[in-house]
Amino acid sequence: MSFVDPTPAPGPAPGPRLGGRRAEAQRNRERLLDTAREIFAERGVGASLNDIARQAGIGNATVYRHFPTRRELIVAVYAEEVTALCAQGEALLGHTHPVEALFGWLRAFVAHVATKRDLALAIPTDGQRSALFDDWHAATRATAARLLTRALPAGTPDADLGASDLLALFCFNASATTDSEQIDRCLALVRRALFPREPSVVNGREVDLG
């Protein structure tokens, strides 16, 4: 005679279900940020959240669950841009040519300032704005300082040059022109002033300063 165990078979453990939901939520968040970044770049930061949700293929309720306000979405998109810029600098610390690494990153910094200005300005002025920008500026300065320290050995005539000086200089540069050749020329001029024995190479090509 066979024996049938009356105890019901255990259902799936709750952990994997929760993990699956968390993973899906993370994918939705990343899709929203990627889509928002594209739409903001194409149409400006005033683009409709409904349009972002529609293009991302995500329901409005999910959008507002992740980002209850437009401000929170803009902050998240801009924060990712700063993180990506700093990560690029960290990766360049392994470059075999420290001067190339520094000016390659400065070129990316100028592009960031020039193309993300509207996004940064769209973050409302409130009690949190200053703290956010202080953190972002500190992260950017730290990245620039590491690249500069590696490129500019102690004891050289300009060894006291600060990362803040370079970033301020190229912030002005990004604000003054969007002409790519002019930006490269300004970077090459600074490179020649700091490293007169180095070729005036920016963005992978030598810039004619004659």
Side-chain angles (χ1 to χ4, degrees):
M1 181 176 67
S2 62
F3 174 78
V4 178
D5 186 351
T7 306
R17 288 204 305 270
L18 290 174
R21 284 197 289 270
R22 282 194 294 267
E24 182 181 5
Q26 182 62 28
R27 286 193 296 271
N28 285 340
R29 187 179 191 276
E30 291 172 359
R31 193 180 312 139
L32 281 168
L33 288 173
D34 289 343
T35 304
R37 185 182 302 109
E38 292 174 8
I39 290 182
F40 287 159
E42 292 171 2
R43 309 180 201 173
V45 292
S48 162
L49 294 186
N50 291 338
D51 287 347
I52 292 171
R54 189 179 306 112
Q55 186 160 318
I58 293 172
N60 287 357
T62 301
V63 175
Y64 288 104
R65 188 159 56 247
H66 286 286
F67 305 105
T69 66
R70 171 183 294 277
R71 176 194 183 281
E72 291 183 42
L73 177 59
I74 293 172
V75 166
V77 171
Y78 189 73
E80 284 210 340
E81 296 288 357
V82 175
T83 298
L85 177 67
C86 293
Q88 184 176 351
E90 292 297 323
L92 283 167
L93 286 171
H95 197 291
T96 55
H97 197 306
V99 176
E100 290 288 342
L102 172 63
F103 281 86
W105 186 80
L106 285 171
R107 186 66 177 81
F109 172 76
V110 171
H112 168 86
V113 174
T115 60
K116 311 304 175 188
R117 183 185 296 114
D118 289 346
L119 192 61
L121 292 175
I123 298 173
T125 302
D126 56 24
Q128 295 181 322
R129 179 186 168 92
S130 293
L132 286 170
F133 276 92
D134 285 347
D135 288 345
W136 291 330
H137 291 161
T140 307
R141 280 195 304 273
T143 301
R146 285 191 285 273
L147 288 163
L148 180 62
T149 298
R150 186 166 176 261
L152 197 65
T156 61
D158 294 304
D160 59 346
L161 178 76
S164 294
D165 301 323
L166 270 183
L167 295 185
L169 175 64
F170 288 112
C171 269
F172 289 130
N173 179 230
S175 300
T177 181
T178 56
D179 184 278
S180 180
E181 290 190 7
Q182 183 66 40
I183 290 170
D184 285 350
R185 180 174 172 80
C186 290
L187 283 160
L189 285 167
V190 173
R191 178 169 175 162
R192 185 171 69 176
L194 293 178
F195 306 97
R197 295 181 181 179
E198 291 282 338
S200 302
V201 175
V202 175
N203 211 20
R205 66 182 184 86
E206 187 160 1
V207 179
D208 182 8
L209 296 176

